[in-house]
Amino acid sequence: AGAAILRARQISLPGPTVMHYLDTLAAEAARPGADSAALQAEMFAAAQLAQRSGTVRFVQQATARLGASSGDPRVAEAVRKLQDADRDLRSMFNERDSGVTGPAAAELDRRIATTQTLRAEAEAEVAAAAPGFRQLLLSSVDAPAVQRVLAADEAMVTMLLGPRHGYVFAVRKDRVLAVRTALTDAEATRQVAALRESTAPNAGASGPGRFDVAIARGLHAGLIGPLDSALSGARTLIVAPDGALLSLPFGMLLTGEADAAALNQAPWLIRRHAIVHVPGPQTFVSLRAAGPGSTAPLPYAGFGDFVPATPAQLAATFPAGRCAADARLAQGLGRLPGTRTEVTIAGQLLGAAPDAIRLGGAATTQSLKTARLDQARILHLATHALLPGELSCLPEPTIVLSTPAGAPNANAAFLTASEVLGLKLDADLVILSACNTGGAGGAGGGEALSGLARAFFYAGARGLIITHWAVDDTAAALIVADSLRRQAGGASSAASLRGAQMLTIEEAGRSLPAAFAHPYYWAPFALIGDGRRAEAPAARTAEAPAAAPARL
């Protein structure tokens, strides 16, 4: 009954509070004669009542900014109606909870029901005027809603971790499995940070350190291993992580024993499944409603090799005092010359016109906003990205582009998530090939990444390829180009990225340096959202030829 009230009022709770509900349902499901299948499905829906504060805050802010950023008066008016209905409902629910009885309570219930209808109508108006709006909702979806959009060879995995234990869930077309795990939220946060640290290069070193195979295997054992019985036959794994796990590319988990000195032979999870990451089950269901792929006429638009702001420009944007540390960090965002090659190769591979590629001083936020981005099936932003927590004076996820020459400050270099809401896209993929797009390993970085993904989904992207740490130039150019080559041949974005990563692993020590088997080189790239789903062979056009044999 409490869960129904929370859903009606669109209220979320901290994870530890929801954990008591899950424990009760799990105990009931274990009782002889209980309808275990129905109770496990209820557990899946119940887990979605838990929302992290950072995610809730981003969605509230994004909705509030939606009317202004869209430039569409219909959206602005519908958002205003929605916000008015939400405010009225909060007031009436508070009054109802104060102990009103008798005829007054009946009248109040009638007003609540009427306002709920008005709210639903306003939400439908926003969704009609701005189809991506549902990506900014935090409502839960039940297992049947997920099952209706899952293919037979797909599985969704999600999780909720608490202070003493957690639960992991698998949804297939025909069943739901909920399993308790001993992995706690705090331990998962510690292990994700340690695994990322073992993946990044040591200070002053030219390459990565020794990969921690024990942690990679332990995280798999706590998160995916308990669900193995439900994952058989799943070619694609859709993962909806929680907390710090949002900062983890799941493909580099290990399904068994591995030798850190022979990582090209390791049993990576990416060997079993193509992997799609999503902010939550509701986001996944909404993305599936958008259709299998873009209808944009042009193949590609790319931006890279940005020109950093000068110290004087950064000082004007980040004044001394509260923002001084930000200025120092921003000054460390050096030029990324390797991205010029990455973007150029990708554009040539897809047959993009020369004016579809903006490099160096031409790669500005203004040129991005004025480009016909809704005409491109792929948008490639090969540059730096910043997440809240890295810069205290930039409270939103932010993409860094070139600072216009002669600008009085660096303000124009920063494309925020709020500004992303105002972009008009029809993109299969937005490739954010940037340093640390995926966050620094904590829950806050993962939540910021989730918010950035939601903003791009709202704008019209079907998927994002992001990078979880600073990438090697050679590996980045190879993986991006090979992924796009495979997708141009009709493969799904998930299968294309998996194929490029597997190629990198398997060619390590042969046509590629042996070090490339280390996850530092291939694992930072992760797909959030579907991207393009697989085409039937008859649907391929002259612009999308079958994939040629790989050339390294």
Side-chain angles (χ1 to χ4, degrees):
I5 292 170
L6 292 172
R7 292 191 182 97
R9 301 189 187 192
Q10 298 198 341
I11 296 172
S12 59
L13 294 174
T17 304
V18 177
M19 199 62 62
H20 297 298
Y21 182 17
L22 296 179
D23 289 342
T24 302
L25 292 171
E28 181 69 11
R31 187 175 55 83
D35 188 345
S36 179
L39 288 162
Q40 290 185 83
E42 184 176 349
M43 290 175 70
F44 170 78
Q48 296 169 63
L49 294 172
Q51 296 287 349
R52 303 267 175 173
S53 59
T55 302
V56 173
R57 185 165 56 251
F58 173 83
V59 168
Q60 290 171 340
Q61 291 170 345
T63 303
R65 295 174 179 135
L66 191 56
S69 66
S70 71
D72 186 335
R74 296 177 305 154
V75 176
E77 176 62 16
V79 169
R80 185 190 62 76
K81 288 181 182 179
L82 183 61
Q83 292 172 329
D84 287 348
D86 280 336
R87 184 191 63 244
D88 293 343
L89 282 170
R90 282 194 297 271
S91 176
M92 286 186 283
F93 279 133
N94 288 338
E95 183 180 354
R96 187 69 175 85
D97 292 341
S98 68
V100 178
T101 59
E107 171 60 18
L108 188 55
D109 287 343
R110 184 193 66 77
R111 288 168 49 208
I112 288 173
T114 299
T115 306
Q116 286 177 317
T117 299
L118 292 174
R119 189 202 180 283
E121 291 171 353
E123 185 176 296
E125 287 181 36
V126 179
F133 172 68
R134 298 197 185 280
Q135 298 300 338
L136 300 180
L137 299 179
L138 290 178
S139 56
S140 62
V141 293
D142 58 17
V146 175
Q147 290 170 320
R148 281 192 291 272
V149 297
L150 276 178
D153 63 351
E154 295 178 324
M156 168 170 277
V157 170
T158 187
M159 57 218 62
L160 181 64
L161 305 181
R164 291 180 294 276
H165 60 273
Y167 288 92
V168 292
F169 307 89
V171 181
R172 295 298 299 269
K173 197 76 175 170
D174 59 349
R175 62 193 183 278
V176 179
L177 178 63
V179 181
R180 178 168 167 151
T181 176
L183 188 63
T184 66
D185 186 30
E187 182 60 16
T189 299
R190 185 195 69 79
Q191 291 191 27
V192 168
L195 191 61
R196 286 174 60 100
E197 184 177 353
S198 81
T199 307
N202 295 325
S206 58
R210 188 175 180 84
F211 184 69
D212 197 323
V213 295
I215 291 181
R217 187 182 181 196
L219 281 170
H220 178 272
L223 298 169
I224 306 297
L227 304 170
D228 273 350
S229 64
L231 302 183
S232 176
R235 298 177 64 185
T236 301
L237 199 63
I238 297 104
V239 183
D242 175 53
L245 297 170
L246 287 159
S247 296
L248 179 71
F250 271 66
M252 72 174 185
L253 298 184
L254 289 167
T255 63
E257 294 284 353
D259 181 354
L263 292 176
N264 59 340
Q265 302 298 318
W268 305 110
L269 186 61
I270 197 70
R271 291 188 186 275
R272 291 188 178 181
H273 314 279
I275 298 176
V276 172
H277 303 77
V278 292
Q282 185 268 332
T283 306
F284 171 69
V285 172
S286 297
L287 281 172
R288 284 288 164 101
S294 168
T295 58
L298 301 178
Y300 181 83
F303 296 74
D305 191 18
F306 88 112
V307 177
T310 66
Q313 289 170 327
L314 291 170
T317 293
F318 302 111
R322 182 173 66 91
C323 300
D326 293 358
R328 289 192 296 272
L329 178 58
Q331 287 178 27
L333 299 178
R335 199 157 187 166
L336 300 170
T339 61
R340 178 176 288 265
T341 301
E342 181 183 328
V343 170
T344 301
I345 289 175
Q348 291 173 346
L349 178 70
L350 296 177
D355 63 357
I357 297 174
R358 314 288 175 90
L359 300 170
T364 64
T365 56
Q366 183 60 25
S367 67
L368 178 73
K369 291 177 182 178
T370 56
R372 294 294 303 275
L373 298 181
D374 60 338
Q375 301 293 298
R377 297 190 292 275
I378 305 288
L379 172 60
H380 189 175
L381 304 176
T383 182
H384 288 291
L386 297 166
L387 301 177
E390 295 178 300
L391 291 185
S392 59
C393 295
L394 283 177
E396 296 184 71
T398 301
I399 294 166
V400 184
L401 292 165
S402 294
T403 304
N409 54 48
N411 293 357
F414 301 112
L415 180 73
T416 66
S418 291
E419 293 174 299
V420 170
L421 292 171
L423 300 179
K424 303 298 182 186
L425 305 177
D426 181 14
D428 288 329
L429 279 178
V430 174
I431 303 173
L432 299 178
S433 181
C435 296
N436 201 30
T437 319
E447 289 177 84
L449 173 61
S450 171
L452 186 62
R454 290 175 188 273
F456 273 106
F457 293 154
Y458 172 84
R462 290 168 176 79
L464 283 78
I465 289 181
I466 59 95
T467 49
H468 276 280
W469 49 79
V471 295
D472 174 83
D473 284 345
T474 302
L478 167 63
I479 289 175
V480 169
D482 195 55
S483 295
L484 293 178
R485 178 189 66 82
R486 292 169 188 271
Q487 182 170 297
S492 69
S493 296
S496 296
L497 179 59
R498 176 184 180 270
Q501 291 175 315
M502 288 298 302
L503 179 69
T504 306
I505 295 168
E506 291 169 354
E507 289 294 327
R510 297 163 62 183
S511 58
L512 290 173
F516 272 43
H518 193 292
Y520 164 68
Y521 293 94
W522 59 265
F525 295 90
L527 176 65
I528 305 180
D530 270 326
R532 186 163 190 85
R533 285 150 66 191
E535 301 176 19
R540 296 177 186 164
T541 67
E543 278 194 316
R551 293 182 176 86
L552 297 178

